[in-house]
Amino acid sequence: MDSVQCQKRTLMDYCPDIKVMDCTLRDGGLVNNFAFSDGFARDLYEANIKAGVDYMEFGYKASRELFDPKAFGKWKFCSEEDIRAIVGKNDSPLKISVMADVGRCNYKKDILPAKDSVIDMIRVATYIHQIPAAIKMAEDCKRKGYEVAVNIMAVSKVNTDDLYAGLELLGRSPVDAIYLVDSFGSFYPEQITKLAQKYVEVANASGKIVGMHAHNNQQLAFANTIEACRMGVSLLDATVSGMGRGAGNCYMETLLSFLKNPKYDEVPIIRFVEKHILKLKEEGTVWGYDIPYLLTGILNSHPSTAIRFIKEGRTDYCSFMQELLDVE
């Protein structure tokens, strides 16, 4: 990954340094236990190429010792064989990414040397207290020849001193990108402005770039993504029709239609929606903004409680809000 100085932008700027990451198979996989057909994955891969998307995240490198392969689809584990069955040698400009959670991935065993893999980027997901372990993983992946990003999760729950200390550690590490992640969809654009400024400051001082991964609990994923972009964040995550855990993510079709780089084209993604996303919804796959997710976003709570609330068929929203307040 090329090192680019992060620059503040206007919303009309053409910025060739901006890159887009499709996370549909990975974050969307949290909705249906990664039970995507090969046809879905292959069509998504081809749609991303046609749309000019820069990275496609296929899923996780989860440990088969911790997670039962019978309980999940193949993109929970992203074997080399399964990815190659979709992309072949990936003779395209699109780069392939996977995510590896600290403590949930046997990275020394399951992540091959880059020369033996079609994967280009490893994204290490970490909580703030795990950053030393995340750096150790990142160092291993860099030695193997990969681009490496680190996603600090649940930042809305982290105090400022700890966050800044974690960012400084990552700034001194060999990672290529540091991600600002709104895990609970609780941030507003004004908060993203300040956080992005700090992330970009650290990145510029250490020759790295910054990414943004937003959730849509308060219907602000797109607004927060373009605000981060305005502040110099250059690696932007999105999913097709916002498909992702709970309230979902920034809509890919919205983001591509906004960006001024003529390489991007939202039409192939919209065609993919026609063919696959409408069918998923007809079959009962559920994600997206809803009152329970709004409440967890407002109260900066993990969406797992809202997911359980919806699965139980409850509609007593005010009672649920009081339950969340009692936990706080």
Side-chain angles (χ1 to χ4, degrees):
M1 178 181 290
D2 294 333
S3 174
V4 178
Q5 190 82 354
C6 303
Q7 300 290 341
K8 189 173 179 179
R9 313 173 175 108
T10 73
L11 297 186
M12 286 302 296
D13 283 343
Y14 162 63
C15 305
D17 60 299
I18 290 174
K19 308 292 183 186
V20 174
M21 168 85 72
D22 170 54
C23 306
T24 307
L25 287 184
R26 201 273 307 167
D27 215 321
L30 297 171
V31 175
N32 66 351
N33 280 343
F34 306 90
F36 297 108
S37 68
D38 282 1
F40 183 101
R42 189 170 294 108
D43 286 352
L44 180 59
Y45 168 71
E46 292 174 358
N48 279 323
I49 293 172
K50 292 175 183 176
V53 171
D54 302 280
Y55 291 85
M56 178 175 170
E57 189 168 58
F58 268 71
Y60 288 96
K61 276 286 188 182
S63 169
R64 293 175 183 269
E65 297 169 3
L66 295 176
F67 298 94
D68 182 0
K70 296 177 182 178
F72 300 93
K74 63 181 68 175
W75 308 121
K76 179 75 172 179
F77 308 98
C78 285
S79 73
E80 189 69 24
E81 294 75 17
D82 287 335
I83 297 176
R84 286 184 183 272
I86 302 300
V87 308
K89 295 181 180 180
N90 187 30
D91 296 322
S92 81
L94 179 70
K95 293 185 176 182
I96 305 302
S97 173
V98 296
M99 181 168 279
D101 283 350
V102 173
R104 298 179 181 179
C105 171
N106 187 346
Y107 63 93
K108 293 182 180 178
K109 172 185 174 184
D110 293 336
I111 297 178
L112 304 174
K115 64 181 178 63
D116 300 322
S117 176
V118 74
I119 297 167
D120 300 285
M121 174 186 277
I122 306 294
R123 298 210 297 176
V124 177
T126 180
Y127 291 104
I128 193 72
H129 67 281
Q130 299 171 312
I131 281 185
I135 291 173
K136 187 175 180 181
M137 284 180 65
E139 290 172 342
D140 181 78
C141 293
K142 285 298 291 184
R143 283 194 296 269
K144 289 175 177 174
Y146 292 98
E147 297 177 20
V148 181
V150 170
N151 294 28
I152 310 176
M153 300 182 291
V155 171
S156 57
K157 290 284 191 181
V158 178
N159 70 61
T160 300
D161 287 346
D162 286 349
L163 176 60
Y164 287 6
L167 289 174
E168 292 300 326
L169 285 172
L170 291 175
R172 297 196 296 269
S173 78
V175 306
D176 300 287
I178 306 170
Y179 259 87
L180 169 53
V181 182
D182 185 11
S183 297
F184 303 155
S186 63
F187 286 133
Y188 297 97
E190 294 87 347
Q191 294 168 296
I192 293 296
T193 300
K194 294 178 181 178
L195 285 165
Q197 285 175 330
K198 181 60 180 179
Y199 278 66
V200 166
E201 176 188 319
V202 171
N204 280 343
S206 53
K208 307 182 189 310
I209 64 170
V210 179
M212 177 70 200
H213 183 86
H215 280 263
N216 207 34
N217 296 63
Q218 299 185 85
Q219 301 200 90
L220 289 170
F222 175 57
N224 286 338
T225 299
I226 63 175
E227 178 61 14
C229 178
R230 189 177 72 87
M231 300 312 299
V233 172
S234 54
L235 189 50
L236 309 178
D237 284 14
T239 63
V240 176
S241 290
M243 187 181 185
R245 182 199 65 192
N249 305 95
C250 177
Y251 277 56
M252 177 65 76
E253 48 270 44
T254 308
L255 181 62
L256 294 183
S257 65
F258 162 78
L259 292 172
K260 304 304 180 287
N261 188 334
K263 68 172 280 192
Y264 296 124
D265 180 2
E266 67 273 14
V267 172
I269 301 300
I270 294 172
R271 290 195 184 280
F272 180 86
V273 173
E274 290 179 2
K275 182 175 180 180
H276 287 286
I277 298 298
L278 295 180
K279 182 180 178 183
L280 276 183
K281 290 186 174 182
E282 288 170 359
E283 293 170 347
T285 306
V286 178
W287 71 90
Y289 170 81
D290 201 349
I291 292 294
Y293 298 127
L294 169 66
L295 296 177
T296 57
I298 291 170
L299 296 175
N300 193 20
S301 298
H302 196 285
S304 59
T305 52
I307 293 171
R308 184 165 58 250
F309 177 94
I310 292 170
K311 284 184 177 179
E312 292 172 355
R314 292 175 60 184
T315 55
D316 53 328
Y317 301 134
C318 290
S319 295
F320 178 57
M321 187 173 190
Q322 291 304 313
E323 292 168 16
L324 293 173
L325 287 167
D326 289 343
V327 170
E328 296 298 320

